[in-house]
Amino acid sequence: LLQGLIEQKDLSPRPFIPINKAGGSGAEALRYLQDKAGDDHTVLVTLNSFYTTPIIQQDLGVDVTQFTPIGRMALDTFLLWVNSESDVSDLDSYVAAVTSAGKDWKMGGTGSGQEDSILTAMLESEFGFDVTYIPFEGGGTVAKNLIGGHVDSTVNNPAEQNEFMRAGQSKPLVQFTDERMEAYPDVPTAKELGHDLVYYMQRSINGPPGMSQEAQDWYINLFKTLYESEEWQKYCQDEGLNCEEWVAGQDLGEFHQAQLERHQALIEKVGAASITGE
């Protein structure tokens, strides 16, 4: 979407080419950017594995505090999903079903140290159950496996499940947000049900260490223009993303530092073994 808008609006003299660096819960992409130190022509689109992967994989040799912060495009959200044919209808019946099934209950996710594995570990810690976490290559694949009956639940982002929800194939049980989102007015938050389970995923743009100030400023201006565009704001609203506050440059760097500390505390609380599926 962003690449298309850049091209459509003629915002860059050079083409933007998305390259997917799959592997190691973001480790390959992070190492790639680390090794691009001083490069003004490479940026990383990232999420919360930006924090968790370097914490868990300490031998990776990546220090994200040295990366060049550009802009936060959104805070993505999470919901707990089951197949629409499931007898589970709310959080209470979900906890009862999972507790009864134990390790036979399969939770689909995108890999150790990824956001959904953290949220799964948070659920296990909160409710005292223990599930089997099954990793797939991406959120879209996770969603399809829920619909296909290969897993029993997921904590997908809205954008990954909305198509199936609209088709009547999946249903959300609870939101892990501070307040109910406009896109899901009838779905309660875990918070309002008495469980302090709030978790967001940042989607931000960052450059490698040592990017020039001129390049950083240029990218900040570019992505701020995209952030404020009607197309991006509509996408955020339609897909359940929080795009209420633009955060860039030093402010984004401070946000990253706070989130690093928070994720370190989360990992210490729920245990790295739970997050990595060991």
Side-chain angles (χ1 to χ4, degrees), residues 70-73 219-220 223-224 227 243-248:
I70 293 169
R72 192 181 75 195
M73 299 302 293
Y219 285 114
I220 289 174
F223 285 100
K224 184 173 188 288
Y227 179 87
C243 298
E244 297 176 359
E245 181 184 11
W246 167 251
V247 179

Side-chain angles (χ1 to χ4, degrees), residues 62-79:
V62 168
D63 181 0
V64 297
T65 64
Q66 299 302 308
F67 287 5
T68 303
I70 293 169
R72 192 181 75 195
M73 299 302 293
L75 289 174
D76 209 342
T77 55
F78 294 87
L79 293 89

Side-chain angles (χ1 to χ4, degrees), residues 8-139:
Q8 174 189 329
K9 297 176 181 293
D10 195 24
L11 297 177
S12 173
R14 297 190 183 189
F16 273 69
I17 303 172
I19 301 173
N20 185 37
K21 291 285 185 182
S25 298
E28 184 179 337
L30 288 165
R31 186 66 246 182
Y32 179 82
L33 199 69
Q34 179 83 37
D35 294 340
K36 285 282 187 177
D39 189 333
D40 284 350
H41 305 287
T42 303
V43 295
L44 174 72
V45 182
T46 190
L47 27 76
N48 286 3
S49 55
F50 188 70
Y51 315 123
T52 57
T53 294
I55 292 172
I56 295 172
Q57 300 183 38
Q58 295 184 6
D59 59 349
L60 189 59
V62 168
D63 181 0
V64 297
T65 64
Q66 299 302 308
F67 287 5
T68 303
I70 293 169
R72 192 181 75 195
M73 299 302 293
L75 289 174
D76 209 342
T77 55
F78 294 87
L79 293 89
L80 177 62
W81 303 86
V82 294
N83 191 296
S84 59
E85 296 180 0
S86 171
D87 292 333
V88 173
S89 58
D90 55 23
L91 184 59
D92 286 342
S93 60
Y94 176 81
V95 173
V98 178
T99 301
S100 175
K103 295 293 284 186
D104 288 334
W105 189 274
K106 297 183 287 292
M107 175 75 90
T110 55
S112 62
Q114 296 284 60
E115 297 74 15
D116 47 42
S117 69
I118 289 181
L119 195 43
T120 297
M122 290 169 68
L123 286 166
E124 290 178 323
S125 177
E126 178 75 11
F127 297 108
F129 53 60
D130 191 15
V131 303
T132 295
Y133 178 81
I134 300 180
F136 297 94
E137 285 189 357

